[in-house]
Amino acid sequence: MLVSCLDNSDRNDYLSDRMRTAYAFLREADLASLPLGRTDIDGDAVFANVQEYETVPAADKLMEAHRRYYDVQYVVAGEELLQYAPLDGLAAAAPFDEEADFGLFETPDAPSAVALHAGDLAVLALEDAHKPGCALHAPSPVRKIVVKVLA
């Protein structure tokens, strides 16, 4: 699944060498046994953040976005709702943290959403604000790998 506006279609190469490295890692690594936290794949160009958390109601969260890294979000176990919207025009909820490549933004009135189940992934580009970790039906545990791919 790729959802984007046509104006952004030439901006992103979802089959670049770095993206292929991310996909290969997700196919070949023993994702269930990776320790929580950062796992290096290709230095700062491609690395994984292993997470475990309980999903929460979407209304309890803000949107997030990044300026340097794509997110390849892969659900290892569990399920969640991922909301997303174009970043352009969203109000910042806090100053952008350049070092962490992380910003929080207000949620638009009608964000799009996709349900992610174990084995599903979503690729989010720099122009995509997103709200992962939302409860699909009720709060539930999730194990997720977020591969960060340098744009």
Side-chain angles (χ1 to χ4, degrees):
M1 174 188 88
L2 168 65
V3 178
S4 185
C5 72
L6 189 58
D7 292 341
N8 293 327
S9 63
D10 290 337
R11 204 182 282 175
N12 302 301
D13 184 356
Y14 296 107
L15 294 176
S16 69
D17 287 342
R18 284 194 283 254
M19 285 291 195
R20 289 178 188 272
T21 297
Y23 304 143
F25 171 80
L26 291 171
R27 277 192 306 273
E28 296 165 9
D30 181 3
L31 304 179
S33 67
L34 287 173
L36 297 179
R38 181 173 167 145
T39 296
D40 286 327
I41 301 169
D42 184 15
D44 287 335
V46 183
F47 60 93
N49 288 323
V50 181
Q51 308 169 352
E52 290 182 355
Y53 52 82
E54 185 93 0
T55 61
V56 299
D60 292 355
K61 301 187 74 162
L62 294 167
M63 303 291 272
E64 65 182 65
H66 315 288
R67 294 182 178 162
R68 294 191 323 265
Y69 287 91
Y70 291 90
D71 271 4
V72 180
Q73 298 199 11
Y74 179 79
V75 176
V76 177
E79 63 182 16
E80 71 177 34
L81 186 73
L82 171 74
Q83 290 186 344
Y84 60 96
L87 176 60
D88 189 37
L90 293 185
F96 192 89
D97 184 336
E98 292 292 342
E99 186 175 326
D101 189 40
F102 184 83
L104 291 172
F105 297 86
E106 298 296 335
T107 303
D109 289 336
S112 296
V114 62
L116 297 176
H117 304 277
D120 292 341
L121 65 79
V123 180
L124 299 144
L126 306 185
E127 65 270 6
D128 300 327
H130 50 286
K131 188 189 296 190
C134 301
L136 185 56
H137 302 291
S140 62
V142 170
R143 180 174 176 88
K144 182 192 270 185
I145 312 292
V146 179
V147 181
K148 306 295 280 184
V149 179
L150 187 63

